[in-house]
Amino acid sequence: MRLGSAELRELLASIAEGAAERELHDVSPFEQVKAVAAAGLGALALPVDEGGQGASVRELLGFVIDLAEADPIVAHVLRTHFSQTLGFVRGGHTRWLDEVRAGKVFGNAISETGAVAAGNHDFTTTLTEAGDGWRLDGVKYYSTGTLYSDWISVAARVEGDRVATVLVPVSRAGVTVVDDWDGMGQSRTGTGTTRFDGVAVAPEEFLTVRPRHEPRAASDVPFLQLYLQALVAGILRSVATDAAALVRSRTRTFDHAPAPRPVDDPILQETVGRLAATAWIAEASVLAAADAVQAAEDAVRAGEPTDEVGRAASVAASAVKVHLDRVAADAATTLFDVGGASASSRAKNLDRHWRNIRTLTLHNPASYRASALGRLAISGEELPRNGYF
């Protein structure tokens, strides 16, 4: 299914239909995720000669914005998949490119909880040699998308203070995916617990092995972080659309309102206009930052991942987050200013936009990112280099 095609527009419309109801009643979008994969959209970023559409980072995140407008849960589920696919292309991993072409979905099991600071990869999950292969043991949390996936990307410690990334099928003995994520927003993303109890791992299922403190590819983390802002941009489109629809649906207003009909009220018109402008700017900023991530991706693929391109990608993704975190949450609240008390009806489910946006903003603090950008601007101090920057 091609980007920009009528068929894709129809698919997105079918995903959007019932999305609010699914969210209201806590229904997981298994069918919708399968539909995206079956349409070959999981292979968007593969080069044309590899069976994909050769989508750039800008084009890929443009699609993510469209998908998030239709259903931000479905779009979030695929975050690891699209990131992993870029990694397969970057590393020339033919076996895994075959799986992407076959419509398989990739999830993740990276994060852990505990006293260790997030981002330093001091994992308790381990890989130990066992006969002709390896044994995987540990518990992971925030495994977004894994509930819907065919393969799980797992990070674990190996001997010599190194970190390995391996890919194991969800169905393998010893793998347990627990649907225990209870967040107030993005609630059906499968962001739960994943356990590995003596899971067999074959040597050919290793993707990378690297020193624990070795930085990841210059484009990798900025893409993952900017992806979250693409989700926010898609939700903001829905905020603006729902605000306009809410005004159109109102049949009465207050006695002291500046116009007898809500649709003619200049205050409500201005509010909806500001929300539309916020959504437009959000999308534009994500797509502009995508070009910086693309430059870093190109440099990595060319074997020239300079500090400059990596820094530029991180700055771009961070700047978008620092700005959007605040204005997006404000916009989702402002939506209610164009409605009466009935706008708070649970049946309307308009609060889902704020809950989803606020949950997405919590992935890492905007305050820390703003502070890091400030130090870079004032004294030239380098940005942090971990899985959250």
Side-chain angles (χ1 to χ4, degrees):
M1 190 173 290
R2 304 295 300 178
L3 288 176
S5 67
E7 292 80 9
L8 178 55
R9 289 192 293 273
E10 290 174 3
L11 175 61
L12 291 170
S14 71
I15 291 172
E17 185 177 359
E21 283 293 306
R22 288 193 297 272
E23 204 273 354
L24 181 62
H25 298 293
D26 224 21
V27 176
S28 298
F30 287 106
E31 292 182 9
Q32 289 72 27
V33 173
K34 287 181 181 177
V36 173
L41 295 167
L44 281 176
L46 268 60
V48 174
D49 60 3
E50 291 284 0
Q53 295 188 37
S56 65
V57 173
R58 173 184 277 262
E59 291 168 330
L60 180 55
L61 291 182
F63 166 70
V64 171
I65 293 171
D66 292 342
L67 185 57
E69 179 184 18
D71 188 337
I73 307 301
V74 175
H76 197 175
V77 162
L78 294 168
R79 178 180 177 230
T80 294
H81 175 87
F82 285 123
S83 171
Q84 192 67 77
T85 298
L86 287 173
F88 295 154
V89 174
R90 199 182 300 132
H93 299 288
T94 303
R95 175 189 176 179
W96 304 114
L97 290 174
D98 288 341
E99 291 293 292
V100 174
R101 281 188 289 266
K104 302 298 183 181
V105 175
F106 290 80
N108 90 95
I110 306 296
S111 298
E112 297 183 1
T113 60
V116 176
N120 76 350
H121 288 177
D122 190 12
F123 299 124
T124 60
T125 300
T126 58
L127 278 158
T128 53
E129 291 190 77
D132 294 332
W134 296 74
R135 172 188 171 122
L136 175 65
D137 294 278
V139 182
K140 297 288 188 174
Y141 302 89
Y142 308 121
S143 306
T144 302
T146 294
L147 186 66
Y148 302 83
S149 68
D150 300 290
W151 290 90
I152 311 174
S153 175
V154 190
R157 289 285 290 272
V158 291
E159 188 178 1
D161 199 27
R162 296 175 298 162
V163 171
T165 300
V166 297
L167 292 157
V168 297
V170 174
S171 58
R172 182 162 292 171
V175 176
T176 304
V177 179
V178 185
D179 188 14
D180 58 354
W181 168 243
D182 65 348
M184 65 177 181
Q186 297 298 99
S187 60
R188 303 310 307 160
T189 53
T191 307
T193 304
T194 308
R195 297 191 178 93
F196 303 94
D197 299 303
V199 177
V201 179
E204 61 269 21
E205 292 172 333
F206 276 67
L207 193 63
T208 61
V209 179
R210 59 185 177 82
R212 180 162 63 91
H213 296 293
E214 181 179 290
R216 290 159 66 173
S219 54
D220 189 17
V221 176
F223 174 81
L224 280 166
Q225 297 304 322
L226 188 59
Y227 191 105
L228 296 175
Q229 308 317 309
L231 299 179
V232 172
I235 296 171
L236 284 172
R237 278 190 190 169
S238 295
V239 167
T241 299
D242 284 352
L246 186 58
V247 173
R248 286 194 300 269
S249 72
R250 291 179 60 183
T251 58
R252 64 173 189 156
T253 187
F254 293 91
D255 184 62
H256 52 283
R261 297 196 312 160
V263 292
D264 298 322
D265 188 326
I267 294 176
L268 301 185
Q269 292 167 347
E270 180 192 15
T271 302
V272 172
R274 289 185 179 278
L275 292 176
T278 299
W280 193 94
I281 292 296
E283 179 176 354
S285 66
V286 168
L287 297 181
D291 292 338
V293 177
Q294 182 69 63
E297 180 72 15
D298 291 343
V300 172
R301 295 187 191 185
E304 301 172 349
T306 65
D307 289 341
E308 288 75 15
V309 295
R311 185 187 305 113
S314 292
V315 166
S318 296
V320 175
K321 175 180 172 59
V322 168
H323 180 67
L324 280 193
D325 269 19
R326 183 171 295 175
V327 300
D330 286 348
T333 300
T334 300
L335 164 61
F336 291 92
D337 291 344
V338 302
S342 63
S344 66
S345 167
R346 193 70 191 93
K348 282 187 168 62
N349 199 22
L350 293 176
D351 62 304
R352 74 186 187 280
H353 300 313
W354 183 89
R355 289 185 289 101
N356 288 332
I357 287 172
R358 195 67 185 97
T359 299
L360 288 166
T361 65
L362 297 175
H363 276 69
N364 49 79
S367 55
Y368 289 172
R369 283 183 171 267
S371 178
L373 290 176
R375 293 193 301 273
L376 175 65
I378 294 168
S379 61
E381 180 180 331
E382 283 294 344
L383 299 175
R385 302 183 74 178
N386 59 48
Y388 292 87
F389 236 97

